Amino acid sequence: MNLNDQKKDNFAKQFSAGLVLFVMLLMIGVFLFQYAPIIAFFWLSGLGFGYILQRSRFCFVAAFRDPALTGSTAVTRGVLVALALTTIGFTAVKYFYHLTSQTIPGQSYIASIGMNTVVGGIIFGIGMVIAGGCASGMLMRIGEGFEMHLITLVGFFLGTMLGNNHLQWWNNHWMWIK
């Protein structure tokens, strides 16, 4: 078998495996829809966002690293567009709730600003640099089969748990704006 035939054979195998996986994931979504439609929505939305992230190679670290390292600003422009769209979207949501005098669901979970935000941001930023990507980039690479990023996922999980366990102390001692 020559090289061209091997490429065609590999493509056929990958396409078949991908199609089977896609159908299985959709079937799980249909199954979830029967019992909890909102969970099915989250499942299908997560699959869609995961696909978009993987295909676009979207990563916040790359947005800041690539212009200096490679000169490419494609991801940086994508991040700026995403931030602009979400700013407009959140402004519209807040305006709607302001007009209707309703409380935004989950608004009580928005934390105040304090030293915990600064320290957490610095630690998170250092972790992103060491890991070579942000949380979405890490999850995308795990999905692609990069096993080393599983270590990053464990660190991400442990750091989240540690921060959650000590949040009350930070809130009591280092809060600037309550």
Side-chain angles (χ1 to χ4, degrees):
M1 185 181 296
N2 67 23
L3 185 61
N4 201 22
D5 289 338
Q6 284 179 334
K7 285 182 180 180
K8 288 180 184 178
D9 190 44
N10 283 342
F11 175 78
K13 287 178 184 177
Q14 288 179 353
F15 183 78
S16 299
L19 190 60
V20 168
L21 179 63
F22 178 71
V23 169
M24 287 173 50
L25 292 172
L26 283 180
M27 287 173 44
I28 291 171
V30 169
F31 174 77
L32 290 172
F33 186 77
Q34 294 173 355
Y35 298 101
I38 192 71
I39 300 296
F41 172 75
F42 292 153
W43 174 262
L44 295 174
S45 297
L47 290 173
F49 281 123
Y51 180 76
I52 290 168
L53 286 172
Q54 192 273 332
R55 298 308 295 170
S56 67
R57 312 294 297 169
F58 191 84
C59 179
F60 285 95
V61 171
F64 294 99
R65 177 190 60 210
D66 287 356
L69 201 61
T70 66
S72 172
T73 59
V75 179
T76 307
R77 288 185 305 228
V79 167
L80 291 174
V81 168
L83 288 173
L85 291 175
T86 56
T87 300
I88 293 167
F90 282 120
T91 302
V93 168
K94 285 197 64 97
Y95 185 69
F96 168 77
Y97 278 98
H98 175 73
L99 287 179
T100 59
S101 299
Q102 297 178 20
T103 303
I104 298 173
Q107 187 172 4
S108 62
Y109 297 115
I110 298 173
S112 300
I113 298 172
M115 191 57 125
N116 59 336
T117 309
V118 174
V119 172
I122 290 170
I123 292 172
F124 190 74
I126 291 169
M128 286 193 315
V129 171
I130 292 170
C134 59
S136 61
M138 172 199 52
L139 292 172
M140 174 206 34
R141 287 183 187 91
I142 289 171
E144 289 179 338
F146 288 86
E147 295 164 349
M148 289 299 291
H149 282 278
L150 288 172
I151 297 169
T152 306
L153 181 63
V154 170
F156 187 75
F157 177 75
L158 292 175
T160 301
M161 299 308 292
L162 183 66
N164 189 41
N165 286 336
H166 293 90
L167 180 61
Q168 193 60 43
W169 181 85
W170 285 96
N171 285 342
N172 291 337
H173 295 92
W174 293 97
M175 197 58 58
W176 294 332
I177 301 172
K178 292 186 179 191

